[in-house]
Amino acid sequence: MRAPDWLTARPVAHRGLHDISRGIVENMPGAVQAAIAGNFSIEVDIQLSADGEAMVHHDHALGRLTEATGEVVEKTAAELKAIKFKDTDERMMSLSDLCAMVAGRVPLVIEVKSHFGGDRKLVKRMAEVLASYQGPAVGMSFDPDQVLALRELLPSRPRGIVAQRSYEDEYWAKLTEAQRDGMLYLRHGFQTQPHFVAFKVDHLPAPAPWIARNVFGCALLGWTVRTPEQRTRAGQYADQMIFEGFVP
C-alpha cells in the first residue's frame, strides 16, 4: 500500500510556494511556478464548480482572497476564472490548466475538498483530467468517502487520507458525530486502502499514523510545517513535510 518514492523525495509546497508579501498568492499560477523553480512538489486544493469543473481553490466560500463573494460550487468555471483576486492580477485555474502548466516537471499532491455529502462529481472530473496527464500526481482528502471514490474512479493513481488526532474544533462542527467518529484513528483504512497518510504535524506522533507507516507501509507526510520545531517533528516522525512560509 506504499506510495511511490517520488512522493516523499522532496518537500511539498503547501498550495504552491506562495508569499503574499511578494504578491504570490496561494493556489495561483505564480505559486505553482515558484514551486517548480525550487524543484518542490506542489500541494493544491480542488473544488467543484457549478458546471462540474475541478477548480484550484482552497476555501468553499469566496472572499478571503477574492473581491467576489459566494460559494465556489454555485459559480461556473467561466465565472470563477473571471473573478478578481486581492494582491494579484492572476486568476483561478482549473485542474486542466494546472496540469498544462506543470507538465510533469514536479509531482502534484491534489487535495479533494469535500462538503461531506457523498457527491463524487469532483473526483470523477479529476479522473477525467488525469487520464491524459503523464506526470506524477496523487489524490487525497479528509473525507473517507472521497478517498474511496479515488480508489474506485482513479485506481491507477496513488491516494491518501488527510487526518488529525481529533475533530472537535469548530471547523468540523458541521459534520455529524458518526462522520467525525468515522474519521478517527484511520479506521476506514481497510476500505479506502490509502497509499499514504498526510497527518497534522502538531499531532505527531500518534498511534494510527505510526501503524499505517510501520505496519502497513504507508508513506507519512506531516502538514502544515511552518516553524523550525514543526520541521524537526516532521523529520523525526514522518517521511516528508508539507511546508509553508519558508523555503527549505
Side-chain angles (χ1 to χ4, degrees), residues 2-229:
R2 192 168 179 85
D5 290 342
W6 50 255
L7 178 63
T8 56
R10 66 193 82 182
V12 183
H14 186 236
R15 306 178 196 172
L17 195 62
H18 57 94
D19 183 350
I20 196 65
S21 68
R22 297 169 52 209
I24 304 175
V25 179
E26 66 180 56
N27 281 322
M28 291 282 104
V32 171
Q33 294 287 12
I36 294 171
N39 196 32
F40 298 116
S41 298
I42 303 170
E43 186 269 353
V44 296
D45 309 280
I46 58 172
Q47 298 269 1
L48 187 70
S49 70
D51 52 348
E53 188 56 86
M55 302 300 296
V56 180
H57 193 67
H58 176 269
D59 300 356
H60 293 307
L62 300 166
R64 178 173 65 91
L65 299 173
T66 66
E67 296 179 5
T69 58
E71 296 292 315
V72 172
V73 73
E74 294 175 352
K75 298 184 184 297
T76 66
E79 290 172 333
L80 292 168
K81 288 186 177 186
I83 289 172
K84 291 184 178 182
F85 278 67
K86 303 169 186 176
D87 303 310
T88 181
D89 293 327
E90 296 181 313
R91 295 292 186 270
M92 193 183 301
M93 297 180 288
S94 67
L95 181 58
S96 295
D97 296 332
L98 173 68
C99 289
M101 178 178 294
V102 176
R105 287 177 286 176
V106 296
L108 288 174
V109 180
I110 303 166
E111 181 177 345
V112 178
K113 305 304 288 188
S114 174
H115 292 274
F116 289 83
D119 189 337
R120 298 184 173 187
K121 289 195 290 290
L122 182 54
V123 172
K124 182 176 183 295
R125 178 56 184 155
M126 178 181 171
E128 292 170 351
V129 172
L130 293 185
S132 59
Y133 184 64
Q134 300 302 311
V138 300
M140 64 181 186
S141 182
F142 271 103
D143 185 348
D145 186 65
Q146 298 301 318
V147 182
L148 183 59
L150 289 167
R151 178 188 173 192
E152 295 174 352
L153 299 175
L154 198 56
S156 63
R157 297 281 182 175
R159 61 189 168 272
I161 185 73
V162 191
Q164 55 194 58
R165 271 184 179 266
S166 63
Y167 301 90
E168 298 173 355
D169 55 83
E170 183 179 350
Y171 180 84
W172 302 105
K174 62 185 178 182
L175 302 186
T176 66
E177 184 176 354
Q179 285 176 315
R180 291 193 298 271
D181 286 348
M183 296 163 65
L184 289 171
Y185 315 122
L186 305 178
R187 54 171 50 125
H188 52 76
F190 288 105
Q191 184 180 24
T192 56
Q193 296 185 16
H195 299 90
F196 67 97
V197 176
F199 209 80
K200 189 171 184 176
V201 68
D202 290 337
H203 291 183
L204 291 173
W210 188 94
I211 292 170
R213 183 190 191 199
N214 294 285
V215 177
F216 294 100
C218 293
L220 180 59
L221 305 176
W223 62 267
T224 298
V225 172
R226 297 182 176 92
T227 68
E229 293 76 16

